[in-house]
Amino acid sequence: MTGFLKAIHPILPVKNVNEALGYYCDKLGFMIAFKDPTDPNGYAGVKRDNIEIHLQWHDEKEWVAGLDRPMLRIYVDNIEALFEEYSTKNVFHKNTSLKEMPWGTKEFAFYDLYGNGLTFYRDL
């Protein structure tokens, strides 16, 4: 018998867990999956459909200007509907658009309030 990879729960660094929870819930339609009861600004998770993302507080001293942040690629069944939903939530940057890519996907991307990249895509 071998190990079977079932799911992945990426951990995104954030400067304020409560603000990040508000962003992911109010703007991106996630729900709180859990929150550390011993440290309300330390660690939490959000969930939408089959996606769970963890948010972890990082001290201001750890944030280096120009340092790359994580980029998540999230597979979506109805990319057009999600793009339309998010287009009304003031989360896109000026270059966000839904487009077909040369590698065979249709996708759009933007950064969360702490510069973590979110790409939503589907196969063509």
Side-chain angles (χ1 to χ4, degrees), residues 59-123:
D59 188 275
E60 188 79 29
K61 294 178 285 206
E62 296 178 43
W63 296 78
V64 178
L67 183 68
D68 287 337
R69 298 258 129 320
M71 175 64 98
L72 305 183
R73 287 184 61 80
I74 301 168
Y75 192 86
V76 177
D77 279 338
N78 190 341
I79 192 81
E80 293 83 3
L82 189 65
F83 182 82
E84 183 64 31
E85 175 188 338
Y86 287 170
S87 69
T88 66
K89 300 291 186 177
N90 195 30
V91 295
F92 292 161
H93 54 72
K94 65 180 181 175
N95 296 323
T96 301
S97 63
L98 181 61
K99 55 190 168 195
E100 292 185 5
M101 306 305 286
W103 47 85
T105 62
K106 189 171 192 178
E107 59 187 61
F108 67 95
F110 57 92
Y111 298 101
D112 74 4
L113 69 164
Y114 295 112
N116 298 302
L118 303 171
T119 300
F120 298 89
Y121 76 101
R122 73 163 172 84
D123 294 328

Side-chain angles (χ1 to χ4, degrees), residues 15-30:
K15 294 180 182 179
N16 184 305
V17 170
N18 290 320
E19 285 182 10
L21 285 171
Y23 177 85
Y24 277 86
C25 293
D26 299 340
K27 300 270 189 185
L28 303 185
F30 284 77

Side-chain angles (χ1 to χ4, degrees), residues 4-16:
F4 180 79
L5 304 179
K6 250 185 120 160
I8 188 167
H9 300 134
I11 302 171
L12 297 180
V14 299
K15 294 180 182 179
N16 184 305

Side-chain angles (χ1 to χ4, degrees), residues 36-71:
D36 180 353
T38 65
D39 183 359
N41 198 35
Y43 196 75
V46 292
K47 184 171 181 137
R48 178 171 173 165
D49 304 320
N50 290 332
I51 299 300
E52 185 170 304
I53 298 171
H54 294 189
L55 307 166
Q56 185 175 39
W57 175 81
H58 284 255
D59 188 275
E60 188 79 29
K61 294 178 285 206
E62 296 178 43
W63 296 78
V64 178
L67 183 68
D68 287 337
R69 298 258 129 320
M71 175 64 98

